[in-house]
Amino acid sequence: MQNSAEFGELRRSYRSFAFPLTVGFIAWYLLYVLLSNYAGGFMGSKLFGNVNVAFVFGIAQFVTTFLIAWWYSRHAAAKLDPKAEAIKSQMEGRA
């Protein structure tokens, strides 16, 4: 089954979604870390009240984490799970 076209399509669907999103998130995280280390003046800039750029970036890290998890869940339910279920059914039918 691992060499089947269906399994290959499932892997391609997963990789085409997960890898670019992972690279994008890591880049976003590294930007936050690098700015925190090397652009202290910018990150310390007050936006309003006691809220500065670093705080907004930090909260945005949490928000993007939850958005990516939600987006992946929707993608998996719509694209990956039906393909995986079809493969599972084929395998169980062969047994």
Side-chain angles (χ1 to χ4, degrees):
M1 184 53 77
Q2 185 176 356
N3 295 325
S4 71
E6 295 88 2
F7 188 73
E9 177 59 32
L10 176 62
R11 286 177 51 170
R12 272 189 299 285
S13 294
Y14 169 75
R15 287 179 178 168
S16 67
F17 184 85
F19 286 167
L21 208 56
T22 301
V23 169
F25 183 77
I26 290 172
W28 162 234
Y29 176 73
L30 288 175
L31 174 69
Y32 173 65
V33 171
L34 291 171
L35 286 174
S36 294
N37 283 318
Y38 299 111
F42 169 70
M43 295 296 272
S45 300
K46 294 205 184 260
L47 297 176
F48 52 89
N50 288 330
V51 176
N52 61 15
V53 174
F55 181 76
V56 171
F57 269 52
I59 294 299
Q61 291 289 318
F62 286 102
V63 171
T64 54
T65 300
F66 287 110
L67 286 174
I68 289 170
W70 170 79
W71 192 15
Y72 176 78
S73 174
R74 287 180 48 104
H75 173 75
K79 307 274 187 202
L80 303 178
D81 291 348
K83 291 176 185 176
E85 189 59 40
I87 291 170
K88 179 182 169 192
S89 296
Q90 278 184 341
M91 289 180 67
E92 289 174 347
R94 291 182 185 170

